[in-house]
Amino acid sequence: MIHQSRFDSVNIPDDVSLTDFVLSKVHRHRDKPFMIDSADGSVITFGETRQLIHNVVFNLINEHEFGCGQVMAILLPNVTLYPILYLGIARSGGASSTINPLYTDEEIKKQLITSNARFIVTNTANQEKVLKSITGTSVEKVFVIGGDSSKNTLPISSLLKDINVTHLLPKNVKNPKKHIVCIPFSSGTTGVNKGVLISHYNIISNLCQAEVYGQVTDKDVMIGFLPYFHIYGQILIMLQSLYSGATIVNVEKFDFDVFLKLIEKYKITHAKIVPPVMLQFAKHPNLDHYNLSSLKRLFCGAAPLSGELTSIVHQRLPGVDIVQAYGMTELATAVTCAESHKARDGSAGILMPNVQMKIIDLTGSDVEGYNKEGELAFKTPSAMLGYLNNEEATQSTIVDGWLHTGDIGYIDKDGYVYVVDRVKELIKYKGFQVPPAELEGLLLKHECIQDCAVVGVPDEAAGELPKAFVVKKQGHDLNEEQVISYIAQHVNPQKKIRMVQFIDSIPKSATGKILRRLLRTSQVSKL
Ligand code: ATP
Ligand code: MG
């Protein structure tokens, strides 16, 4: 059974580069701030951004002979130059390989080798680490923001310098459907992360699909704290805002109090967040110390967000629309999104335009009907071309044009999609499958619990036992028995929590995911 989107199909241009597409409406708001740096208050307008992108394209092609089929790595926090470099690389015909700036030199080296990067751009804070990482890779040039020509690096001015020519930039992206624009890496939540081949057309598609919702417009002020190296921040904050005329306030390092202050100071209207931030909105004691009246929408994705948590935040922020979206790096980015808070709490929304979905059961057959769980699979114009250097993984993920997500979910009769958990995370208790996300949602409702995570621990008799890791709220006391009996009141006996461990904090990735594999191996500090 194939589920179709409720929306009419949207037209997706297939004859334009990502850069030209994203800049297509800039003339309407040339002098408006595009990015504001929250650290020093500096501002760059839409018009200046476009000019600098064109400089980068010209300088890359003419000064550095860079272009089609070549890769340039970007290792930067969320800075104003990020979209400029990214879209400059794209328009030159090359591709970006975006790297987590917290990586060690060994991790950087690995990504440089896998993506066969010819150049890398970084900032002075990361310069030493990057220089260490490039030995034994194919990197020829290191550009440094804030750097000079010393230490085997090139200053960023060699990419940004003004071009005094009026002739048009060459048309280097001839087939946007097949031309790779970036090679982001998945989050590595379940194991080794994978490089994903994304075309110009893939991203243009997702921007067109998201536009139908009208959630990001030139009236919006967004907050840019989710990392631009990851697909979510990259497409749905950095590029969607530039395309739509929304201003972004960039944040390099996340702190919830600072985040609230910035909402107040810059009158943020729309915040794209991840469940750990939603948790803070639910549990932070002093939300009312800040004037958050400008905030119209919280948009949440990247990991399961329970209906329980959503409704707590609804009560604390009654005027704010809370919408959830679901996606993955391989789907560049989202395939479902809610239109407004009228959507059911806990649902990841409805299928975006031009998206088809089917649900596959454990035997590999299509699930018929509604409210029945199985693995979600999608067809969408934003789906990746394949994994980098991994034909086997590509073949097993894209089968007959359907991209298999590895996530369990279901759809109701009205078209709302619910993502239950990852297939890999399901706890197998005596032949029953227990989704940890469901138990986590219940635990977070408890007034003494600040944060939690549930994993399966091996057990000879049962296969696996659901174990909860719990962070107590400050000033509250709670024991193992109380946690176990609280959950037992809410779920059927197979889903009961069998063990509890109290810890200081739950390990999470920069992209908002619980790192359950660390909990399984007990690499956590005990109370
Ligand atoms: P890796 O594939 O390397 O293990 P990852 O899957 O976490 O890492 P991403 O591509 O960043 O890497 O994340 C996509 C995954 O995030 C999805 O497959 C899904 O498990 C989860 N996810 C995203 N949005 C939602 C959502 N709204 N609800 C539940 N899960 C979500
Ligand atoms: Mg994944």
Side-chain angles (χ1 to χ4, degrees):
M1 180 175 182
I2 296 176
H3 302 276
Q4 307 284 349
S5 170
R6 270 186 356 207
F7 291 106
D8 291 339
S9 291
V10 289
N11 184 35
I12 301 164
D14 60 4
D15 56 353
V16 64
S17 72
L18 174 65
T19 308
D20 292 341
F21 178 78
V22 169
L23 296 177
S24 57
K25 295 192 271 189
V26 161
H27 58 279
R28 297 189 199 161
H29 26 253
R30 216 177 12 231
D31 299 323
K32 186 186 159 185
F34 166 46
M35 278 190 167
I36 302 174
D37 185 333
S38 65
D40 60 13
S42 61
V43 172
I44 186 163
T45 65
F46 281 86
E48 288 163 344
T49 302
R50 180 178 56 187
Q51 180 58 49
L52 285 173
I53 291 170
H54 287 166
N55 292 358
V56 172
V57 182
F58 185 86
N59 290 318
L60 273 176
I61 296 175
N62 294 292
E63 299 276 313
H64 302 284
E65 292 167 0
F66 179 86
C68 290
Q70 299 183 355
V71 175
M72 177 153 165
I74 305 178
L75 184 139
L76 287 170
N78 286 8
V79 292
T80 308
L81 285 178
Y82 211 115
I84 291 166
L85 294 160
Y86 180 96
L87 288 168
I89 296 165
R91 184 62 177 77
S92 77
S96 304
S97 173
T98 52
I99 305 184
N100 182 346
L102 296 179
Y103 270 8
T104 63
D105 56 304
E106 281 303 314
E107 289 168 319
I108 299 167
K109 187 194 210 83
K110 202 171 135 222
Q111 186 164 333
L112 292 174
I113 292 174
T114 334
S115 54
N116 196 26
R118 196 179 151 217
F119 297 160
I120 181 167
V121 55
T122 189
N123 57 2
T124 42
N126 290 293
Q127 156 176 326
E128 288 309 318
K129 188 167 75 173
V130 165
L131 285 172
K132 223 168 137 192
S133 73
I134 60 169
T135 38
T137 72
S138 49
V139 171
E140 294 164 23
K141 296 183 183 180
V142 179
F143 298 92
V144 180
I145 298 176
D148 48 33
S149 318
S150 59
K151 297 194 175 175
N152 306 323
T153 64
L154 287 166
I156 200 69
S157 55
S158 92
L159 292 178
L160 300 179
K161 66 179 182 240
D162 270 344
I163 50 170
N164 296 319
V165 279
T166 47
H167 60 258
L168 290 172
L169 299 168
K171 192 171 182 237
N172 276 3
V173 182
K174 299 211 168 59
N175 183 359
K177 280 195 168 173
K178 293 272 174 273
H179 200 124
I180 304 300
V181 69
C182 66
I183 313 171
F185 276 68
S186 61
S187 295
T189 314
T190 54
V192 177
N193 61 0
K194 301 168 283 280
V196 176
L197 299 169
I198 302 296
S199 71
H200 286 252
Y201 179 77
N202 286 153
I203 301 183
I204 294 171
S205 302
N206 216 227
L207 294 172
C208 293
Q209 291 166 305
E211 193 174 12
V212 168
Y213 288 79
Q215 290 173 349
V216 179
T217 72
D218 59 3
K219 308 267 180 310
D220 280 303
V221 184
M222 319 280 294
I223 188 143
F225 81 91
L226 291 178
Y228 298 154
F229 69 79
H230 181 251
I231 199 89
Y232 179 7
Q234 201 171 97
I235 298 182
L236 293 182
I237 301 178
M238 184 177 90
L239 297 178
Q240 197 184 5
S241 299
L242 183 50
Y243 174 61
S244 313
T247 298
I248 308 179
V249 178
N250 271 336
V251 185
E252 273 193 37
K253 203 167 164 277
F254 183 74
D255 169 283
F256 192 63
D257 274 292
V258 173
F259 179 79
L260 296 177
K261 268 188 210 136
L262 291 174
I263 294 178
E264 181 177 290
K265 177 168 175 192
Y266 290 103
K267 301 199 168 37
I268 303 290
T269 60
H270 183 146
K272 296 212 166 168
I273 60 170
V274 287
V277 181
M278 197 60 98
L279 183 63
Q280 306 248 36
F281 273 111
K283 306 262 172 177
H284 191 278
N286 306 327
L287 226 47
D288 48 1
H289 287 190
Y290 302 91
N291 178 354
L292 305 179
S293 59
S294 61
L295 194 62
K296 286 188 310 203
R297 181 170 295 111
L298 285 175
F299 175 106
C300 188
L305 173 69
S306 67
E308 287 87 355
L309 194 58
T310 311
S311 59
I312 298 173
V313 180
H314 268 315
Q315 283 158 21
R316 299 192 85 192
L317 297 171
V320 177
D321 219 9
I322 301 173
V323 296
Q324 194 187 158
Y326 161 81
M328 61 196 294
T329 310
E330 292 86 334
L331 291 167
T333 292
V335 279
T336 75
C337 179
E339 311 115 286
S340 78
H341 73 275
K342 290 180 201 89
R344 279 132 242 221
D345 283 353
S347 158
I350 55 176
L351 297 176
M352 292 173 77
N354 306 45
V355 173
Q356 294 180 308
M357 181 182 82
K358 60 181 190 172
I359 303 180
I360 302 157
D361 70 17
L362 287 176
T363 66
S365 310
D366 286 9
V367 171
E368 299 296 327
Y370 301 95
N371 300 314
K372 292 187 200 147
E373 288 178 11
E375 184 186 0
L376 304 175
F378 293 93
K379 270 190 188 174
T380 169
S382 69
M384 66 167 181
L385 301 189
Y387 288 112
L388 175 69
N389 304 333
N390 198 340
E391 193 48 36
E392 203 185 320
T394 305
Q395 299 279 337
S396 61
T397 303
I398 306 176
V399 183
D400 298 331
W402 288 95
L403 192 138
H404 293 237
T405 61
D407 292 312
I408 298 279
Y410 62 93
I411 186 167
D412 69 16
K413 273 211 168 63
D414 301 322
Y416 289 93
V417 176
Y418 293 78
V419 183
V420 175
D421 221 318
R422 294 173 195 261
V423 178
K424 281 189 184 171
E425 304 284 17
L426 292 180
I427 300 168
K428 282 102 197 154
Y429 174 78
K430 293 189 177 166
F432 294 97
Q433 300 201 320
V434 183
E438 181 185 336
L439 299 176
E440 286 156 6
L442 288 170
L443 286 167
L444 290 177
K445 252 173 73 179
H446 197 290
E447 56 178 14
C448 301
I449 295 180
Q450 178 68 32
D451 202 355
C452 68
V454 174
V455 300
V457 293
D459 177 79
E460 231 167 82
E464 282 183 317
L465 294 177
K467 172 176 178 180
F469 289 83
V470 172
V471 180
K472 288 182 212 168
K473 228 180 186 176
Q474 240 182 6
H476 290 75
D477 208 18
L478 189 70
N479 61 33
E480 179 167 5
E481 266 318 301
Q482 288 168 315
V483 175
I484 290 175
S485 67
Y486 164 74
I487 289 294
Q489 287 162 26
H490 290 89
V491 296
N492 66 44
Q494 295 90 31
K495 291 186 177 169
K496 281 198 314 205
I497 294 281
R498 309 275 159 174
M499 298 155 87
V500 179
Q501 185 177 332
F502 293 100
I503 57 174
D504 291 338
S505 66
I506 302 295
K508 291 183 189 161
S509 70
T511 51
K513 288 127 202 284
I514 296 176
L515 295 174
R516 293 199 179 83
R517 60 190 158 77
L518 296 188
L519 292 166
R520 277 190 208 100
T521 52
S522 269
Q523 291 175 32
V524 289
S525 60
K526 291 181 185 169
L527 265 188

